[in-house]
C-alpha cells in the first residue's frame, strides 16, 4: 500500500501522463463528469460517476474498421484502424471495472474481436473506491465490492490522502514509477468501513437476483408483467447507450464518394431496426424489444457465462431513462424481491 | 408544491372509472425514490390508490402516448393534462394523430415542475425519499440525519421558469383554478444567441451538439415527432444512422429535426428534459418559433385545433424571402 497527499494529485497525473495518455472524469460546463484527456488544468471530478461509461475506451460508439476502393474489377481493401497507443484510465468505479469483465467474455472469446482486444491490451485501469454512493447504485446486488474496485491499480480516497495498491504486473510497474511513500492499510480499512455502512443504507441495498439466472428463460419469458413494464417505453435506447455492459453493434458502410468506409457503431435492442435483415425483424413489438434487454442481462448472459449477470448495477439506466423505467423495476416486479 | 393534491386526482380517476365513463387512466406511477416517476396506464381502483402520484416530479407529458394508447386500448382513456401538455394535445389533434372521442381530458393546474438534477446539485447523491411542505421540498438522504430543505422555486426546471401558459387550451373538465397565458422570458436566451457572431454561434452549437450520444430520447419523447417510421430509423432512407458518424452528421440530425417540427413544436420542453447530456435543444426550437412570430405574426402551435401553421400556409401577406435575408443581415 502506498500513500500520496490529495494536494499532490496533479503532479501524479503529470507523471502518469509522461508515458501514456491519461483520461479521467472531469466536470464539463454543465457540471456532468465526462472522461477527459488529462493535461495541466484538467480537474478530477468529485462526481460519483460519469454519464457515459468508460466502455467507450475499448468499444467506442463509432469506429472505422476498414476501407474499400474499387477500380474496374479490382477491390482494394485497406486496414484503416488506428492502432492504440498505451493509455491509462483513472477514476473507474467498481461497477465499471466489472463491466470490463462482462465485455471481455463477449469480445475476447473465440473468435476474438481484435479491435477490442487491441484496446484492452493498451489500456491500464486505475480504479477508485466509492465513498459517496448514490441511491441509484446497486452494485452489491451483483456481489461487486464498491470499496475494493480492482483493475490494474486500486485507489482509495480519504479526506486528504490517496492510497494506492497494485493488482497486476503492469499496475505494479506503473505504481513503482510514481515514487509514492509506503504505508499501512489502517486508513483504508477505516474508509472502507464507512462506505460499507452507507452502502448498507442505500434504498436498493437489499435488491437481490432471486428469480433470475441462466435457467430462468421458461419461467420469465411469458410473464404478463412485461407488457405493463414496457407500456410507456419510448424505445429510445438511452438505457443501452449509457450502459457500460450493453454490447450490441451494427456494421455499416459509408460511401464517401471515392471509397467505402466500413464502420461499426453501437446498436440498441430497443430500436425497431435492430438486427433488421433480409428476413425482416425478429422482434416486432416494443414489448419484445424491451424484454430482450432485461432477459439478456439477467438470463441469457448468465446462461452463457457461468452464472455471471450482465448488469453491474451502476444505476445509469436508472437515472437516465426518460420514463424512469429500468432494470431495478424489472427485477422488483419479476424476481423474488419484496 | 402543487396546489392540487394527489388525492383529488385519485378520487377523480376512480369515480370516472367506476362510473364507466373511462376504462383507462393515463397517470404518473410511483417509483423507487419519489422522483423517478413512470407514465403509466391504470385500470384498477386499487392500483390507482396505491401507485398513482402527483407531485413536483410529474413532468412527463402524456399527449403523445394518446397516439398509441387510443389505438391499442379499448374504451375511453382519461388523461390528466398540465397547461403546457394541452398545447401538444391540440397540435396532435390538428395533425389527426388520435381520435378525440376516445379521450376524456382533465386539465389540472401546475405550479411548475422540479428538475431532479438541480435538486441533486444541492443535496448530493443518496436520496432516500422526498417530501413536500408548502413551498419547500424536503429531501432525505442516506448521508444526513435531518432532511435537506430546498426552496421549490430554486430547482424549477428551465421550461417551468419560462412557462408560457398556465391556461389550458383543451379539456373536457378542469380541476382547480384556471390560469393565464404568461409573458415569459423564454426568448431571452435565443436573443443572446442571435447577438453572437456566426463563429461564436457555431462554436456554441458545436460544443453542445458534440455531447450528443444519439440516443434519440429527444425525438422519441417529442409530441411533434410522431412519424410511424422516422427517416433516421429507416434503412431504406439513405440517411439512417445510429451514431453521430462525424461532427457534420451530428448537427444534421438536430437541424433536420428542428426544421421538421418548426411551426408544430409547441415548446413543451420535453426534449431538453429527457436529454441525458443536458443539451439545450429547446433553444433551437425557440429560435424557429421566434422567427415565425417575427416574420409571419405571432403564432403558438397547439393554441387551437385546426389552425394552419404559417410554414404550411400561404397568404398574400406572407413575408418575401428577400425580407428574411435582409432580416438576417440587418
Ligand atoms: S427503457 Fe427507458 S431509456 Fe430504455 S428505451 Fe425505454 S424509455 Fe428509453
Ligand atoms: S443495466 Fe443499467 S444498472 Fe445495469 S449496468 Fe447497464 S446501465 Fe448499469
Ligand atoms: S454502483 Fe457501486 S461501484 Fe458503481 S458507483 Fe455506485 S457504489 Fe460505486
Ligand atoms: S436526447 Fe440528447 S443525447 Fe439523446 S439524441 Fe437527443 S440530443 Fe442527443
Amino acid at each position: 500500500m502506498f500513500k500520496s497527499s490529495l494536494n499532490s494529485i496533479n503532479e501524479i497525473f503529470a507523471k502518469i501522463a509522461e508515458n501514456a495518455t491519461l483520461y479521467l472524469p472531469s466536470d464539463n460546463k454543465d457540471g456532468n463528469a465526462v472522461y477527459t484527456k488529462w493535461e495541466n488544468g484538467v480537474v478530477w471530478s468529485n462526481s460519483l460517476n460519469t454519464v457515459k461509461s468508460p466502455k467507450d475506451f475499448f468499444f467506442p460508439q463509432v469506429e472505422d474498421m476498414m476501407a474499400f476502393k474499387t477500380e474496374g474489377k479490382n477491390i482494394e481493401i485497406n486496414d484503416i484502424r488506428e492502432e492504440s497507443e498505451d493509455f491509462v484510465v483513472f477514476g473507474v468505479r467498481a461497477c465499471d471495472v466489472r463491466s470490463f469483465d462482462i465485455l471481455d467474455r463477449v469480445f475476447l472469446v473465440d473468435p476474438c474481436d481484435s479491435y477490442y482486444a487491441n484496446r484492452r491490451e493498451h489500456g491500464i485501469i486505475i480504479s477508485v473506491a466509492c465513498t459517496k454512493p448514490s441511491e441509484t447504485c446497486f452494485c452489491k446486488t451483483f456481489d461487486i465490492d464498491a470499496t475494493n474496485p480492482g483493475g490494474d491499480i486500486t485507489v482509495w480516497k480519504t479526506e486528504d490522502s490517496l492510497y494506492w495498491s497494485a493488482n497486476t504486473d503492469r499496475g505494479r510497474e506503473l505504481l513503482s514509477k510514481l515514487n509514492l511513500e509506503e504505508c499501512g492499510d489502517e486508513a483504508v480499512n477505516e474508509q472502507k468501513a464507512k462506505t460499507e455502512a452507507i452502502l448498507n443504507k442505500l434504498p436498493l441495498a437489499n435488491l437481490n437476483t432471486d428469480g433470475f439466472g441462466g435457467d430462468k428463460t421458461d419461467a420469465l419469458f411469458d410473464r404478463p408483467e412485461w407488457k405493463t413494464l414496457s407500456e410507456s417505453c419510448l424505445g429510445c435506447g438511452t438505457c443501452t447507450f449509457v450502459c457500460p455492459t450493453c454490447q450490441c453493434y451494427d456494421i455499416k458502410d459509408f460511401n464517401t464518394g471515392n471509397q467505402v468506409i466500413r464502420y461499426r457503431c453501437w446498436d440498441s435492442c430497443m430500436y425497431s431496426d435492430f438486427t433488421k435483415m433480409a428476413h425482416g425483424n425478429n422482434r416486432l413489438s416494443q414489448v419484445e424489444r424491451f424484454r430482450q434487454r432485461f432477459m439478456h442481462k439477467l438470463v441469457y448472459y448468465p446462461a452463457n457465462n457461468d452464472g455471471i449477470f450482465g448488469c453491474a448495477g451502476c444505476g445509469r439506466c436508472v437515472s437516465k431513462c426518460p420514463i424512469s423505467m429500468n432494470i431495478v423495476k424489472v427485477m422488483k416486479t419479476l424476481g423474488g424481491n419484496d | 408544491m402543487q396546489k392540487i393534491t394527489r388525492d383529488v386526482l385519485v378520487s377523480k380517476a376512480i369515480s370516472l372509472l367506476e362510473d364507466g365513463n373511462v376504462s383507462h387512466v393515463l397517470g404518473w406511477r410511483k417509483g423507487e425514490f419519489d422522483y423517478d416517476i413512470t407514465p403509466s396506464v391504470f385500470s384498477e381502483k386499487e392500483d390507482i390508490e396505491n401507485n398513482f402520484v402527483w407531485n413536483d416530479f410529474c413532468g412527463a407529458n402524456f399527449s403523445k402516448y394518446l397516439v398509441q394508447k387510443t389505438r391499442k386500448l379499448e374504451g375511453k382513456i382519461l388523461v390528466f393534462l398540465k397547461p403546457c401538455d394541452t398545447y401538444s394535445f391540440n397540435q396532435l389533434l390538428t395533425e389527426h394523430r388520435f381520435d378525440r372521442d376516445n379521450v376524456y381530458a382533465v386539465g389540472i393546474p401546475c405550479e411548475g415542475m422540479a428538475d431532479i438534477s438541480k435538486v441533486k446539485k444541492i443535496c448530493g447523491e443518496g436520496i432516500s425519499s422526498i417530501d413536500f411542505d408548502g413551498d419547500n421540498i424536503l429531501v432525505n438522504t442516506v448521508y444526513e440525519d435531518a432532511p435537506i430543505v430546498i426552496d421549490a422555486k430554486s430547482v424549477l426546471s428551465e421550461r417551468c421558469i419560462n412557462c408560457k401558459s398556465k391556461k389550458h387550451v383543451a379539456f373536457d373538465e378542469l380541476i382547480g383554478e384556471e390560469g393565464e397565458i404568461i409573458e415569459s422570458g423564454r426568448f431571452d436566451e435565443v436573443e443572446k444567441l442571435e447577438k453572437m457572431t456566426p463563429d461564436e454561434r457555431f462554436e456554441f452549437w458545436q460544443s453542445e451538439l458534440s455531447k450528443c450520444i444519439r440516443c434519440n430520447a429527444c425525438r422519441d419523447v417529442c409530441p411533434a415527432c410522431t412519424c410511424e417510421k422516422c427517416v433516421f430509423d429507416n434503412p431504406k432512407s439513405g440517411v439512417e444512422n445510429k451514431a453521430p458518424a462525424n461532427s457534420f452528421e451530428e448537427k444534421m440530425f438536430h437541424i433536420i429535426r428542428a426544421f421538421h417540427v418548426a411551426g408544430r413544436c409547441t415548446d413543451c420542453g420535453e426534449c431538453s428534459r429527457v436529454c441525458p447530456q443536458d443539451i439545450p435543444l429547446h433553444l433551437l426550437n425557440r429560435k424557429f418559433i421566434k422567427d415565425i412570430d417575427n416574420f409571419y405574426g405571432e403564432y403558438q402551435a397547439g393554441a387551437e385545433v385546426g389552425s394552419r401553421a404559417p410554414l404550411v400556409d400561404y397568404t398574400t401577406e406572407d413575408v418575401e424571402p428577400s425580407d428574411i435575408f435582409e432580416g438576417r443581415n440587418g
Side-chain angles (χ1 to χ4, degrees):
Chain A
M1 183 86 49
F2 295 87
K3 179 180 175 177
S4 67
S5 93
L6 202 48
N7 291 331
S8 67
I9 187 66
N10 279 311
E11 290 144 44
I12 297 177
F13 288 155
K15 208 168 246 170
I16 298 174
E18 274 172 17
N19 297 312
T21 315
L22 168 64
Y23 298 93
L24 50 76
S26 181
D27 290 344
N28 67 8
K29 65 176 167 38
D30 311 315
N32 297 324
V34 179
Y35 278 100
T36 310
K37 185 174 164 185
W38 184 84
E39 51 197 23
N40 242 324
V42 172
V43 182
W44 178 25
S45 168
N46 273 323
S47 303
L48 176 67
N49 215 345
T50 50
V51 178
K52 246 183 135 184
S53 82
K55 165 173 90 174
D56 264 280
F57 288 112
F58 306 112
F59 172 41
Q61 184 157 14
V62 191
E63 89 184 295
D64 291 339
M65 306 186 89
M66 59 188 87
F68 310 94
K69 254 187 185 151
T70 47
E71 243 184 74
K73 283 192 173 162
N74 296 327
I75 301 184
E76 187 185 313
I77 302 176
N78 293 317
D79 188 348
I80 52 168
R81 67 173 110 179
E82 297 159 20
E83 282 302 322
S84 293
E85 309 242 313
D86 286 347
F87 62 96
V88 177
V89 189
F90 177 93
V92 181
R93 298 300 189 186
C95 48
D96 291 342
V97 173
R98 166 68 65 86
S99 79
F100 302 146
D101 297 339
I102 294 173
L103 296 176
D104 284 354
R105 284 170 168 270
V106 174
F107 289 109
L108 298 184
V109 290
D110 199 37
C112 170
D113 184 310
S114 58
Y115 296 84
Y116 177 89
N118 188 35
R119 292 193 168 88
R120 272 300 258 151
E121 264 160 40
H122 287 283
I124 293 190
I125 305 297
I126 306 182
S127 68
V128 177
C130 296
T131 45
K132 282 209 121 186
S134 165
E135 69 277 9
T136 53
C137 295
F138 57 108
C139 48
K140 217 174 121 221
T141 303
F142 302 107
D143 298 322
I144 296 166
D145 184 356
T147 70
N148 207 3
D152 294 299
I153 297 175
T154 306
V155 172
W156 291 268
K157 189 179 168 191
T158 61
E159 287 286 297
D160 53 5
S161 306
L162 294 177
Y163 295 83
W164 306 65
S165 170
N167 310 314
T168 63
D169 285 342
R170 55 184 189 173
R172 272 181 283 277
E173 195 191 324
L174 174 60
L175 195 51
S176 70
K177 289 190 193 139
L178 302 180
N179 297 326
L180 305 177
E181 161 201 347
E182 269 209 75
C183 69
D185 51 11
E186 304 76 25
V188 165
N189 288 337
E190 200 179 304
Q191 179 56 49
K192 278 186 182 173
K194 265 195 228 163
T195 309
E196 193 63 45
I198 297 291
L199 285 166
N200 288 328
K201 285 208 291 194
L202 292 178
L204 302 179
N206 297 321
L207 185 71
N208 64 53
T209 56
D210 293 358
F212 302 98
D215 56 346
K216 293 292 189 290
T217 306
D218 290 346
L220 293 170
F221 197 81
D222 289 322
R223 288 280 291 269
E225 293 93 331
W226 289 115
K227 207 166 152 238
T228 38
L229 285 165
S230 67
E231 71 189 350
S232 47
C233 171
L234 303 168
C236 65
T238 305
C239 49
T240 52
F241 283 9
V242 295
C243 178
T245 72
C246 274
Q247 60 221 217
C248 293
Y249 58 82
D250 196 359
I251 295 180
K252 295 174 127 350
D253 288 345
F254 178 63
N255 193 341
T256 64
N258 69 356
Q259 65 174 346
V260 171
I261 294 183
R262 177 158 296 176
Y263 67 99
R264 76 163 152 197
C265 60
W266 295 350
D267 203 346
S268 171
C269 53
M270 290 290 193
Y271 288 166
S272 60
D273 56 348
F274 180 70
T275 65
K276 186 159 180 155
M277 299 166 205
H279 71 284
N281 248 353
N282 45 8
R283 291 180 208 108
L284 292 174
S285 67
Q286 197 56 32
V287 190
E288 293 164 282
R289 297 192 278 265
F290 180 94
R291 175 176 60 197
Q292 167 62 23
R293 177 161 194 270
F294 301 102
M295 288 293 279
H296 187 199
K297 302 254 185 266
L298 300 168
V299 181
Y300 311 147
Y301 188 94
N304 296 322
N305 293 283
D306 311 321
I308 295 171
F309 287 96
C311 168
C314 75
R316 286 186 179 86
C317 62
V318 179
S319 60
K320 291 300 171 194
C321 169
I323 59 148
S324 295
M325 178 44 67
N326 51 59
I327 194 160
V328 170
K329 290 180 181 176
V330 167
M331 288 173 78
K332 288 208 167 182
T333 306
L334 297 175
N337 292 278
D338 0 290
Chain B
M1 187 169 102
Q2 301 305 322
K3 284 197 182 131
I4 289 293
T5 62
R6 162 196 183 268
D7 294 347
V8 173
L9 303 191
V10 165
S11 48
K12 172 58 63 190
I14 290 176
S15 75
L16 284 166
L17 257 186
E18 289 193 328
D19 296 349
N21 289 326
V22 300
S23 43
H24 302 278
V25 179
L26 257 177
W28 299 271
R29 184 177 293 275
K30 179 171 96 182
E32 297 293 320
F33 328 107
D34 293 330
Y35 67 78
D36 56 329
I37 283 155
T38 303
S40 206
V41 178
F42 294 83
S43 12
E44 312 286 339
K45 177 178 174 201
E46 213 192 335
D47 192 21
I48 296 177
E49 279 168 349
N50 295 333
N51 300 312
F52 186 103
V53 270
W54 169 244
N55 65 27
D56 286 11
F57 296 98
C58 294
N61 173 354
F62 293 148
S63 301
K64 184 177 184 176
Y65 281 112
L66 293 170
V67 176
Q68 262 195 19
K69 299 300 174 200
T70 50
R71 287 186 208 167
K72 280 200 187 140
L73 301 173
E74 291 277 328
K76 246 188 184 183
I77 301 173
L78 162 61
V79 63
F80 289 108
L81 300 175
K82 305 187 288 293
C84 55
D85 304 339
T86 60
Y87 288 81
S88 316
F89 184 88
N90 274 353
Q91 185 60 32
L92 285 163
L93 283 173
T94 300
E95 294 168 14
H96 308 285
R97 299 303 284 131
F98 67 89
D99 187 349
R100 181 71 179 84
D101 293 341
N102 291 341
V103 179
Y104 189 78
V106 174
I108 53 176
C110 172
E111 307 307 312
M113 290 292 151
D115 178 342
I116 186 63
S117 56
K118 288 188 181 173
V119 172
K120 283 195 155 195
K121 294 243 151 76
I122 298 175
C123 71
E125 299 289 351
I127 296 175
S128 45
S129 66
I130 300 180
D131 298 314
F132 302 89
D133 177 26
D135 292 335
N136 290 327
I137 298 180
L138 311 181
V139 187
N140 298 294
T141 78
V142 294
Y143 295 101
E144 307 285 336
D145 294 330
I148 298 163
V149 182
I150 297 176
D151 178 1
K153 284 209 180 57
S154 70
V155 291
L156 271 185
S157 55
E158 190 284 336
R159 60 174 171 175
C160 302
I161 296 174
N162 291 313
C163 178
K164 62 182 180 292
S165 171
K166 298 276 186 207
K167 182 181 145 104
H168 299 77
V169 290
F171 55 84
D172 292 305
E173 179 182 342
L174 203 59
I175 292 184
E177 254 172 64
E178 180 61 311
E180 302 284 329
I181 290 175
I182 304 171
E183 272 302 318
S184 76
R186 66 185 173 126
F187 296 119
D188 294 359
E189 283 298 311
V190 177
E191 273 161 25
K192 277 191 205 152
L193 285 176
E194 286 170 344
K195 289 203 182 95
M196 288 179 178
T197 64
D199 283 347
E200 286 167 349
R201 202 158 45 237
F202 185 80
E203 175 57 35
F204 172 84
W205 283 113
Q206 174 96 318
S207 83
E208 287 298 340
L209 297 179
S210 64
K211 294 187 293 189
C212 175
I213 59 171
R214 263 313 266 287
C215 64
N216 292 317
C218 51
R219 177 198 68 185
D220 290 346
V221 81
C222 173
C225 271
T226 59
C227 293
E228 300 290 313
K229 185 109 200 136
C230 175
V231 282
F232 292 107
D233 285 351
N234 186 349
K236 291 194 187 118
S237 70
V239 297
E240 180 234 20
N241 223 337
K242 288 166 179 158
N246 55 32
S247 69
F248 172 73
E249 202 279 327
E250 198 166 74
K251 290 187 271 294
M252 279 302 279
F253 169 70
H254 293 287
I255 291 168
I256 289 175
R257 211 180 79 77
F259 267 105
H260 192 194
V261 302
R264 307 190 298 117
C265 164
T266 66
D267 198 9
C268 75
E270 284 286 87
C271 48
S272 295
R273 174 179 72 87
V274 301
C275 176
Q277 292 287 58
D278 293 338
I279 300 173
L281 295 157
H282 58 277
L283 294 178
L284 212 49
N285 300 321
R286 282 189 194 156
K287 168 64 178 161
F288 280 90
I289 296 173
K290 184 167 177 284
D291 280 356
I292 290 172
D293 281 354
N294 235 350
F295 293 124
Y296 298 92
E298 293 239 332
Y299 177 79
Q300 171 60 53
E304 58 201 22
V305 181
S307 62
R308 284 192 71 87
L311 294 184
V312 292
D313 202 10
Y314 171 76
T315 73
T316 49
E317 322 282 82
D318 273 359
V319 65
E320 293 297 330
S322 58
D323 296 347
I324 294 178
F325 192 68
E326 274 158 30
R328 189 198 287 160
N329 291 329

